[in-house]
Amino acid sequence: YTFAEARRIEEVFLVVDRDLNTNIRITCTHTGAPALVMPRTLVRGFRVEGCVKGQWQELYREADNHQRLVKVKLSQVLEGLRLCPESTWGAEEFRVFSFVAR
């Protein structure tokens, strides 16, 4: 996003693909139980960048995301905002359903 004028952004919400169409079996965490595998389509690593005085800078970085809904507190005055996906849990493409700033 780029804004006509700088505005205060309190937080961003990110909804990513967690491959909810795939049936998974929830297991107990007893010794010897199989480990859960993260969905390949889930965005694992990403950063949020903001434009301040004409310069883009990293505001937040996540390297090991496990959530479908991610909330990031920013509380900054920005001229622009962008999401930069970096990795998934195995899929080749990034699937972001929503990226909302408020």
Side-chain angles (χ1 to χ4, degrees):
Y1 302 111
T2 53
F3 310 124
E5 58 186 50
R7 63 176 63 179
R8 184 167 192 82
I9 303 297
E10 292 297 329
E11 59 190 344
V12 295
F13 298 89
L14 171 66
V15 180
V16 296
D17 186 0
R18 191 171 171 115
D19 197 16
L20 295 176
N21 292 327
T22 301
N23 291 327
I24 59 170
R25 192 174 75 210
I26 307 244
T27 61
C28 297
T29 56
H30 299 289
T31 304
L36 291 176
V37 175
M38 295 304 297
R40 293 172 38 87
T41 58
L42 185 66
V43 173
R44 182 176 190 174
F46 66 92
R47 67 185 187 279
V48 175
E49 295 182 347
C51 186
V52 179
K53 297 182 182 176
Q55 297 294 322
W56 287 97
Q57 54 188 265
E58 182 178 298
L59 304 175
Y60 179 84
R61 177 178 290 272
E62 175 62 58
D64 200 30
N65 177 52
H66 292 80
Q67 304 298 317
R68 180 174 187 262
L69 170 63
V70 181
K71 298 177 188 178
V72 178
K73 301 266 187 216
L74 294 178
S75 298
Q76 294 192 34
V77 176
L78 302 170
E79 298 161 0
L81 185 68
R82 64 185 175 198
L83 171 67
C84 305
E86 296 177 333
S87 63
T88 66
W89 286 89
E92 290 188 20
E93 54 182 45
F94 303 102
R95 295 195 291 196
V96 177
F97 295 144
S98 179
F99 179 59
V100 178
R102 66 174 196 102

